Amino acid sequence: YIKTRDFGQLKKNANRLAKAYPASTGAVALLIEGGKFMEKDDPSEAITMYESASFMAMDVNDGKKLVLAAAILAEETKSYKKGRELFARYLTLATPGSEEEADVRLMLAQCQLMSDDAQKGVENINSVIKAAGKGNDRVVAKGKLILAKIKQDSYLSVRLVQPLEETLKKKTLLLEALLQDYSQIIKYKVPELQSEIYFQMGMTLENFKDSLITAEKPGDMTGQELEEYNFLIEEKSYPYEEQAVK
């Protein structure tokens, strides 16, 4: 059935197998194989198969792994509503207060942020950070990085338009706050996050440079004044480009 891509029949046979041999792992193995086959071509079908297999799994840990696999695939394919549902289910199986639970709460929060429950997502992240306290720098850093990215979205949305003095001040303040947040997160020294943090900092500085160059120009300039203005803007933007490269 996998080779012929008849996944409807595969699921029916898996259900029959599970009912006839409830202690067997055959039905679960069949669904997992089908899910792996479909991850690239039809991820929603793969998610359904992993989820179905999780309900059939006799071992609790096997069931948890399948729920998590389905949830992560849902998030990766931007099926955020389904991801929220699956991560929430996983949390009912996770050990309360564990690092595993904290990681999954952060993944749930990211799905909430990307769907229609952003406020709940922020609350979830702050709750995880507070619970982790000083005892788990990795979880705290991960949570703060997600919050910094939310700020970064606001920063990126600010365009430099006239009156330039006002919009430039607003974007500059957001830039400084954002770089300070990323600098604080770096101090947690979490190896798995370092490259991403530096990438985000570089992208933030690059955006500021680009925003300066493409800023709305005053409309009452002569040709000579405009040329001088453009030169000054390029000169002002250069240090940000240099910082971004570093």
Side-chain angles (χ1 to χ4, degrees):
Y1 296 118
I2 293 174
K3 288 182 180 179
T4 59
R5 302 172 71 87
D6 189 350
F7 295 104
Q9 195 59 47
L10 183 145
K11 284 187 280 188
K12 286 179 182 178
N13 281 0
N15 286 327
R16 290 193 193 106
L17 187 60
K19 288 177 182 177
Y21 305 98
S24 171
T25 59
V28 172
L30 192 61
L31 289 170
I32 292 172
E33 193 63 30
K36 287 179 179 177
F37 188 84
M38 290 303 292
E39 277 196 15
K40 289 185 179 179
D41 294 339
D42 190 350
S44 61
E45 188 65 62
I47 291 166
T48 299
M49 288 189 183
Y50 290 148
E51 188 177 13
S52 297
S54 73
F55 286 113
M56 294 180 187
M58 300 296 291
D59 184 277
V60 175
N61 287 325
D62 288 342
K64 283 170 60 178
K65 289 176 184 176
L66 287 163
V67 174
L68 188 58
I72 291 172
L73 185 56
E75 182 187 16
E76 288 175 347
T77 55
K78 300 183 180 181
S79 301
Y80 298 117
K81 186 176 180 181
K82 188 64 180 176
R84 281 164 47 189
E85 176 191 324
L86 290 163
F87 283 127
R89 182 183 159 210
Y90 185 89
L91 288 171
T92 66
L93 306 170
T95 305
S98 64
E99 189 167 323
E100 164 201 37
E101 182 197 36
D103 281 335
V104 174
R105 282 199 182 281
L106 290 177
M107 287 188 270
L108 169 61
Q110 290 190 89
C111 282
Q112 291 169 326
L113 290 170
M114 298 304 294
S115 53
D116 57 354
D117 206 2
Q119 183 58 43
K120 186 66 177 176
V122 172
E123 289 173 5
N124 239 332
I125 295 166
N126 284 321
S127 175
V128 170
I129 292 172
K130 184 177 179 181
K134 295 181 179 180
N136 196 327
D137 286 352
R138 189 184 70 83
V139 169
V140 172
K142 283 181 73 174
K144 289 189 174 184
L145 180 56
I146 298 171
L147 292 176
K149 286 180 179 180
I150 296 172
K151 287 185 182 179
Q152 184 168 292
D153 287 340
S154 297
Y155 161 80
L156 294 173
S157 70
V158 177
R159 294 180 62 249
L160 298 184
V161 296
Q162 300 296 333
L164 188 59
E165 187 177 343
E166 291 181 15
T167 54
L168 180 58
K169 182 179 179 181
K170 180 180 180 181
K171 196 169 181 79
T172 301
L173 289 173
L174 288 171
L175 171 68
E176 291 171 352
L178 200 50
L179 292 178
Q180 185 174 7
D181 285 348
Y182 283 132
S183 296
Q184 289 298 319
I185 299 168
I186 287 171
K187 291 179 181 178
Y188 287 103
K189 297 180 180 179
V190 180
E192 67 192 79
L193 301 180
Q194 296 300 299
S195 60
E196 183 178 3
I197 297 167
Y198 283 115
F199 173 79
Q200 296 298 336
M201 291 177 78
M203 186 173 71
T204 299
L205 288 161
E206 184 78 13
N207 173 266
F208 195 84
K209 182 265 294 184
D210 291 341
S211 295
L212 283 171
I213 292 173
T214 60
E216 184 179 13
K217 297 173 176 58
D220 55 351
M221 284 185 170
T222 64
Q224 179 64 32
E225 287 172 336
L226 185 59
E227 189 176 329
E228 291 175 2
Y229 176 86
N230 287 335
F231 177 78
L232 289 171
I233 287 293
E234 283 186 24
E235 197 172 57
K236 185 176 179 63
S237 69
Y238 179 73
Y240 295 100
E241 181 178 21
E242 198 172 45
Q243 282 182 273
V245 171
K246 289 180 181 179

